[in-house]
Amino acid sequence: MTHTLYGRMYLAAYDTDAGALYDRTRAGFLLRAAVLSELAFLGRVADAGGEVAVVSGEPIGDSVLDLVLSSLGAHRRTWKAWVRADREETLVAVEDRLAAVGLVAVAERHAFARGARREVTALDPEGVRALQAGLTALVRGGGPVDPYDAVVVALASAGRARHLVSRADARAHKDRLDELTGRLDVLAPALGAAVRGLGTTLVAAQGGMGGG
């Protein structure tokens, strides 16, 4: 449905039954990690002693990737810090990009005393469910693995997206999930560590409410 890693991550995190992301706060973290991973795959950033180092700041031509890449050159921070930074901005940018290419529709709803609320509708829910079914099958089986899909599954597991990686699958296929997450270690060791610690980060971000 989309060739970008961050696009797959967003659609993987979308609950077609609810017509919304499974958890907007958690999705913001997952999308930040997905964008950082994609930039690393593209050779634009690298791991430098646990920090994100920009290898090339030249524009890529993708509004989401360029937005995040432009911010990375301003500071030297750890991968974990960059996963936590600017999550809402990145989430909105991803939704706007997916809307621009016709995968979702975005509407701003104004609720009394609560300000604007975004409603995002997947325009091809069957396609989203097919994507998610393929990712769930990846957890359970072997065979060739698309590198982007491996990262999406690793992130979905860390973010407790139970519609994608159920508790039962997380227990039964722990070694498989470790293997998929290990691909991030090869890409950038500190990024793999940040993803493994994402569960604790998410609990802290939601005021101790672990959920899932």
Side-chain angles (χ1 to χ4, degrees):
M1 296 185 69
T2 172
H3 67 281
T4 62
L5 198 164
Y6 69 76
R8 294 187 210 179
M9 185 71 259
Y10 186 93
L11 296 175
Y14 192 87
D15 185 337
T16 55
D17 291 334
L21 289 170
Y22 83 108
D23 183 306
R24 194 167 180 86
T25 297
R26 289 172 184 252
F29 280 96
L30 300 186
L31 286 168
R32 285 291 297 185
V35 172
L36 291 170
S37 300
E38 190 157 1
L39 290 171
F41 272 117
L42 294 173
R44 297 308 187 93
V45 300
D47 194 347
E51 294 183 334
V52 178
V54 174
V55 177
S56 171
E58 289 296 313
I60 296 167
D62 178 285
S63 58
V64 175
L65 297 176
D66 287 339
L67 174 68
V68 176
L69 181 60
S70 65
S71 69
L72 298 178
H75 307 281
R76 285 291 293 271
R77 294 176 177 169
T78 64
W79 292 87
K80 180 179 179 180
W82 280 121
V83 167
R84 295 174 62 94
D86 303 323
R87 300 185 305 276
E88 183 62 27
E89 178 186 47
T90 301
L91 176 54
V92 169
V94 169
E95 289 173 338
D96 288 346
R97 178 61 179 164
L98 295 182
V101 298
L103 291 176
V104 304
V106 177
E108 299 284 353
R109 306 296 184 192
H110 292 274
F112 180 72
R114 293 186 179 181
R117 179 171 59 89
R118 279 200 150 203
E119 290 185 0
V120 181
T121 303
L123 297 179
D124 181 11
E126 288 302 321
V128 173
R129 283 190 280 269
L131 170 70
Q132 293 174 352
L135 293 169
T136 297
L138 186 61
V139 177
R140 300 170 181 169
V145 179
D146 181 283
Y148 280 9
D149 286 345
V151 173
V152 170
V153 169
L155 289 172
S157 177
R160 298 176 185 174
R162 297 305 188 199
H163 65 288
L164 200 66
V165 183
S166 68
R167 288 186 181 88
D169 278 345
R171 288 192 296 268
H173 303 288
K174 183 179 181 301
D175 289 345
R176 174 66 163 173
L177 290 169
D178 285 344
E179 173 198 335
L180 297 176
T181 305
R183 295 174 180 240
L184 287 170
D185 297 325
V186 176
L187 189 64
L191 175 58
V195 169
R196 286 188 173 85
L198 198 54
T200 301
T201 302
L202 291 169
V203 171
Q206 295 184 303
M209 297 299 292

